[in-house]
Amino acid sequence: MKKQVINIKQGHRADVGEYKIYRVLPDHEVRAVGPFVFLDYVPPVFHAADEPRKFVNGSGAHPHRGIATLTYVLNGEADHFDSNGHHAKVYSGGAQWMKAGTGIIHDEAMNPDPNTNDGLTHGFQFWVNLPAKNKAEQPDYRPVQAAEMPKIALADNAGWLKVVAGEYLQQTSPIPAYSEQFIYHIQLEAGKSFSLNALEGREYALFLPVSGAVINDVAYREQQLLVFDTAAGEIDIQNVTDSLLTAIVFGGAPYTEPIVAQGPFVMNTQKEIATAYNDFYEGKYGHIKYEQQAQ
């Protein structure tokens, strides 16, 4: 039996500085899918060879608390600094994972990948809502390069499935998890199809970043987010185009604790939100030491 689509969403523009961004989650109807309470999509942008690189210099620094951020880079180089002393770069196909925990300040920049020379930047940022007990833990960070993520070849030379987060067919992503979660990057060859078996009681969503597809026998456009029911069933993806198809499937177990979100903080009560702001203004999240961490 094929799963039912219960919501269809289109991201809205929510640009940040120089970056063109579409906010896919949340909205007034869909607050979360599994533990994911936020999704920004950065569409593909081509950068000329003589375009100046973006440097992390403090102008984009901002705090988080109560969540883990997961920046998945389809194309480009993501440069990360945070107030816990971390600095790293990940490249096309890799991800930056940062647990904000009790509070952290981070700063990021995206540039074309010097290893591919394709001039592109393209990617996503997810916010993973932490269980209450993990919101009280110290911040952490992990860069994950593309080669560290499991990539599973699909039958009939249809393409591949990359396990960005969670697991699939006993292949597990190195991205830490505090509740059941998954992000699958599926690439299908022209004219091919793939059927994903969805488990009972889990929340699933599918996003089509750059081209439309036929999902469970219905045609959908690019940049549409499909939210499915929680019954067990199949998610059938058909590539009816003459080029590669990218689909992002994500979700997990429902988040059962209260969700109170305000600005860059996601907590369980309004009092915890107030504390998060007070601690930030009192400097308890620390400071980024750019020159020292860049060495």
Side-chain angles (χ1 to χ4, degrees):
M1 183 177 69
K2 295 182 179 179
K3 287 178 69 64
Q4 297 297 309
V5 174
I6 59 174
N7 253 308
I8 305 169
K9 299 294 176 185
Q10 192 87 31
H12 63 274
R13 287 289 290 272
D15 296 357
V16 177
E18 301 176 46
Y19 297 100
K20 179 181 178 181
I21 288 174
Y22 290 90
R23 185 142 301 157
V24 181
L25 279 178
D27 71 8
H28 65 284
E29 291 182 329
V30 182
R31 296 189 63 199
V33 178
F36 298 101
V37 291
F38 179 96
L39 174 57
D40 269 358
Y41 172 55
V42 183
V45 174
F46 178 78
H47 302 263
D50 58 353
E51 183 176 323
R53 288 177 58 84
K54 294 182 175 67
F55 291 96
V56 183
N57 57 15
S59 61
H62 58 280
H64 287 295
R65 185 164 175 161
I67 60 170
T69 62
L70 197 165
T71 301
Y72 179 44
V73 185
L74 274 71
N75 302 90
E77 168 200 274
D79 194 2
H80 169 99
F81 286 81
D82 67 47
S83 59
N84 213 34
H86 299 112
H87 172 234
K89 295 180 181 181
V90 299
Y91 302 94
S92 300
Q96 310 256 20
W97 174 87
M98 182 188 75
K99 181 174 71 172
T102 54
I104 197 169
I105 298 170
H106 78 143
D107 201 351
E108 292 180 302
M110 283 193 70
N111 289 290
D113 188 337
N115 303 300
T116 62
N117 293 317
D118 60 9
L120 288 174
T121 55
H122 185 200
F124 298 88
Q125 185 172 90
F126 294 85
W127 290 7
V128 186
N129 196 6
L130 297 174
K133 63 180 181 180
N134 302 112
K135 294 179 187 290
E137 294 176 348
Q138 292 300 305
D140 199 3
Y141 169 78
R142 179 163 184 176
V144 179
Q145 302 296 348
E148 299 177 70
M149 294 181 185
K151 184 185 283 188
I152 300 164
L154 303 180
D156 190 32
N157 296 315
W160 47 256
L161 181 151
K162 181 194 285 188
V163 187
V164 179
E167 64 175 39
Y168 183 77
L169 297 181
Q170 288 77 54
Q171 298 292 310
T172 303
S173 167
I175 297 287
Y178 297 93
S179 62
E180 186 180 340
Q181 65 179 33
F182 54 83
I183 301 173
Y184 304 142
H185 176 180
I186 299 166
Q187 181 171 291
L188 289 181
E189 299 288 336
K192 297 291 187 176
S193 63
F194 169 69
S195 189
L196 178 71
N197 182 37
L199 301 176
E200 177 81 25
R202 309 312 192 268
E203 297 179 347
Y204 285 78
L206 182 150
F207 184 69
L208 297 166
V210 292
S211 61
V214 173
I215 311 296
N216 289 353
D217 304 320
V218 178
Y220 295 96
R221 304 189 308 273
E222 66 180 84
Q223 294 192 25
Q224 285 191 314
L225 176 75
L226 313 182
V227 181
F228 296 89
D229 65 10
T230 57
E234 302 294 320
I235 299 175
D236 186 62
I237 307 168
Q238 295 178 275
N239 183 3
V240 295
T241 73
D242 57 2
S243 58
L244 292 173
L245 169 70
T246 294
I248 304 293
V249 178
F250 65 95
Y255 189 89
T256 58
E257 298 171 323
I259 300 174
V260 182
Q262 188 171 326
F265 307 126
V266 183
M267 305 302 293
N268 301 115
T269 68
Q270 190 61 48
K271 182 178 180 180
E272 290 172 338
I273 291 288
T275 300
Y277 275 104
N278 288 338
D279 287 352
F280 169 62
Y281 291 130
E282 290 176 6
K284 294 183 179 180
Y285 297 173
H287 303 279
I288 301 174
K289 300 176 182 178
Y290 292 96
E291 293 185 5
Q292 179 179 333
Q293 291 171 214
Q295 296 176 358

